[in-house]
Amino acid sequence: VSTLVSIGDFSRMTFLSIKALRHYHEVGLLPPAEIDPDTGYRRYQVEQVPTAQVIRRLRELGMSLDDVRAVIEAPDVRARNAAISAHLRRMEGELEQTRATVKSLRLLLDEPAPAPIAISYRIEEPSVALAIRAEIAHDDMFAWLDEAFAELHVAVAQRTGVDGALFSGELMEDEFGEIVALVPGAGEAGGRVHALELPRVEYAVAVHAGPLEEVDRTYAALGTVVAGRAIGVQGPLRENYLSDDRIEICWPVFQTTPAA
Amino acid sequence: VSTLVSIGDFSRMTFLSIKALRHYHEVGLLPPAEIDPDTGYRRYQVEQVPTAQVIRRLRELGMSLDDVRAVIEAPDVRARNAAISAHLRRMEGELEQTRATVKSLRLLLDEPAPAPIAISYRIEEPSVALAIRAEIAHDDMFAWLDEAFAELHVAVAQRTGVDGALFSGELMEDEFGEIVALVPGAGEAGGRVHALELPRVEYAVAVHAGPLEEVDRTYAALGTVVAGRAIGVQGPLRENYLSDDRIEICWPVFQTTPAA
DNA sequence: TTGCTCCTCACGTCACGTGAGGTGGC
DNA sequence: TTGCTCCTCACGTCACGTGAGGTGGC
């Protein structure tokens, strides 16, 4: 015969606030064992304490209630551990990101004016490429590109240039929008992979060398020049991945060169 | 003569979303250099880009907009670096906490049933102590206790027991409430320090040995016994800090011993 | 009986995101 | 002129916290 305790006692026993316990009840994460039909008083079983302790620790690790629920309701130990490990991996990724951001912040504060970068102009004549397109959130960009290029590399037969990507305005401005991963050349379409005809575009181009966290500074330098000369036109930005730490950034412009 | 750019261009140059930029304008963190009186169009100066880049990095580090503002509006480099360093120290503290929580979670999952703990009963006869009391948030508990004990240790003249603390029910249940730090014995009152007369209380007592992160499990074990015997009474919980890793937890109960 | 516990709304917080509905600029 | 950019509400998100106002239980 198990002991029932009031919400106050359960709170003291689990270090979860009463408000939190009521919230977990409301969302069905940790319903009390019993509810008095007259008074609405919640009664918890002492056997619910370990579950509550797990919930508190997962919440302290910043796991969302939905993910906590997945852990709590996992059918077996394997699934449970997988859910927890996935979260810990995410946290490690964030930690790496944090380290990089701190470094980047120090750099920015120490060196507010960036080294001047070379900007060139280029006319891209119409060309073909193998491409994958999608509407994604800005935060998913890296993961999405990794996967897309993996698929494209399998499909491409005749490469005529380095990997590149097109970013719609909305993707930058709204945190959600169209993205295209492309490999110049020809190959086998199928699945998400399709052939893409790239139109003629004029670009102002800058090369970003160095850590990815700094790439906004190159964008800013390039954008400043384009804005200063009032030559910007609409159309997606393009990045070309020259090497592991060299990215070519292409900003669409018009009439940078006298007509032939 | 500085270049003005539209919110869209500024967004592309800084990797801040348009929604974020409008929000920063609304709260006065990064107002545009100019606003068209007819259309309401925001225009940013390219010289605002570095500030925006700093804001983006600080936000990525999880700094609140209020704290970001403090950094941005810092009167000099010293004040600015102090604000940033304070945030980074907080983050390191959280990282330590995260490590401890992960460890504690693994322990809890590996060993769901805790080792049975010894529970004893005790009657505390009325006594005196030097004490500091306050209403605090649960999260500030450790910092507050550290400071309070430092003050009490200076004031105490005749110690008759180890450091202890009283925790009101609300502090546990509402995340905000009364806390009392106390040193049994006598000494010099003054400032926040005052003499406190402790009434007679009967306690169920358990000793928690080991890491602080696990202390909820001892609370739960103690609470389970108290609830099972239906001997709980209201009144603050008490902790006595026996040594660095031994905490005595005292739960108020009634009539645990036959009357004399 | 008193005061303590617990209840249910309803609204606030933080930093934006998500539309809706509309207008200006090239 | 078209469609693209930008505007302002108003409301949503997430995980609770903060009261208000009221009732049950010892």
Side-chain angles (χ1 to χ4, degrees), chain A residues 3-5 7-9 11-19 46 49-50 53-54 56-58 60-61 71 80-81 84-85 88 91 95 97-99 101-102 104-106 108-110 112 138 169-170 172-175 213-224 227-228 237 239 251, chain B residues 3-5 7-9 11-19 46 49-50 53-54 56-58 60-61 71 80-81 84-85 88 91 95 97-99 101-102 104-106 108-110 112 138 169-170 172-175 213-224 227-228 237 239 251:
Chain A
T3 307
L4 292 172
V5 299
I7 196 170
D9 281 343
S11 165
R12 275 183 287 264
M13 287 163 71
T14 59
F15 291 18
L16 289 168
S17 77
I18 290 183
K19 294 285 183 181
V46 294
V49 166
Q53 287 169 337
V54 170
R56 189 170 78 87
R57 281 162 178 74
L58 293 175
E60 258 194 59
L61 295 177
V71 172
R80 191 190 68 187
N81 286 341
I84 293 172
S85 297
L88 294 181
M91 289 187 69
L95 184 59
Q97 181 59 45
T98 295
R99 277 193 236 283
T101 302
V102 168
S104 170
L105 175 65
R106 295 230 180 274
L108 182 58
L109 293 173
D110 292 349
H138 190 270
E170 309 92 70
M172 316 298 283
E173 295 155 20
D174 300 350
E175 306 279 284
E213 286 74 31
E214 306 291 321
V215 76
D216 59 337
R217 302 183 72 176
T218 303
Y219 267 84
L222 183 57
T224 298
L237 294 162
E239 290 188 355
W251 195 297
Chain B
T3 306
L4 291 173
V5 298
I7 195 170
D9 281 343
S11 164
R12 275 184 286 264
M13 288 163 69
T14 59
F15 291 16
L16 289 167
S17 76
I18 290 183
K19 293 286 185 182
V46 295
V49 166
Q53 287 170 337
V54 170
R56 189 171 77 88
R57 282 161 177 75
L58 293 175
E60 258 194 58
L61 296 177
V71 172
R80 192 190 67 187
N81 286 341
I84 292 172
S85 296
L88 294 181
M91 290 188 69
L95 184 58
Q97 182 59 44
T98 295
R99 277 193 237 282
T101 302
V102 169
S104 170
L105 175 64
R106 295 231 179 272
L108 182 57
L109 292 172
D110 292 348
H138 190 270
E170 309 94 70
M172 317 297 284
E173 296 155 21
D174 299 351
E175 305 280 282
E213 286 73 31
E214 306 291 321
V215 76
D216 58 338
R217 301 183 73 175
T218 304
Y219 266 85
L222 183 57
T224 298
L237 294 161
E239 290 188 354
W251 196 297

